[in-house]
């Protein structure tokens, strides 16, 4: 699968539970939409993913990537009810970083 470099870095950071490296994949003003909540800016994004990592130990396995729409389908596994799940990661990229990420079921 030919993922953009920044998305590959995000997957690697998630698999290593590295919330700092994960947040560094985003622009300073980036927005993440997940489970009905919005997380804005690197600090909020880092705090959100750090809490999720500690609680659920989520790993990502990329399954498919639609380049024209910047949509990654991934199997996520962890210590949450219903694991594993397949989620869609809808990215907007800007200047080699992630400007927006919407995670949907």
């Amino acid at each position: 699968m030919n993922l953009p470099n920044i998305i590959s870095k995000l997957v690697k950071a998630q698999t290593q539970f590295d919330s700092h490296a994960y947040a560094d994949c985003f622009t300073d003003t980036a927005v993440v939409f997940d489970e009905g909540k919005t997380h804005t800016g690197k600090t909020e994004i880092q705090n959100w993913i750090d809490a999720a990592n500690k609680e659920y130990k989520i790993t990502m396995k990329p399954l498919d990537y639609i380049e024209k729409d910047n949509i990654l389908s991934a199997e996520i596994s962890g210590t949450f009810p219903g694991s594993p799940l397949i989620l869609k990661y809808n990215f907007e990229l800007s200047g080699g970083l992630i400007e927006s990420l919407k995670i949907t079921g």
Side-chain angles (χ1 to χ4, degrees), residues 5-80:
N5 188 43
I6 197 64
I7 296 176
S8 292
K9 285 182 180 182
L10 182 91
V11 171
K12 181 179 178 184
Q14 180 60 58
T15 301
Q16 295 176 343
F17 308 115
D18 186 341
S19 59
H20 183 74
Y22 189 99
D24 279 346
C25 294
F26 292 84
T27 66
D28 290 336
T29 59
V31 179
V32 173
F33 305 95
D34 182 42
E35 295 185 321
K37 297 180 183 156
T38 303
H39 311 280
T40 305
K42 283 188 176 188
T43 300
E44 262 189 49
I45 292 168
Q46 183 174 344
N47 291 340
W48 157 74
I49 201 63
D50 189 54
N53 285 341
K54 286 177 180 169
E55 187 170 354
Y56 301 116
K57 305 288 188 239
I58 297 169
T59 59
M60 292 175 67
K61 176 183 170 187
L63 300 174
D64 186 43
Y65 181 68
I66 302 170
E67 186 174 352
K68 70 178 178 68
D69 297 323
N70 284 322
I71 298 174
L72 173 68
S73 294
E75 180 182 275
I76 62 162
S77 300
T79 60
F80 56 88

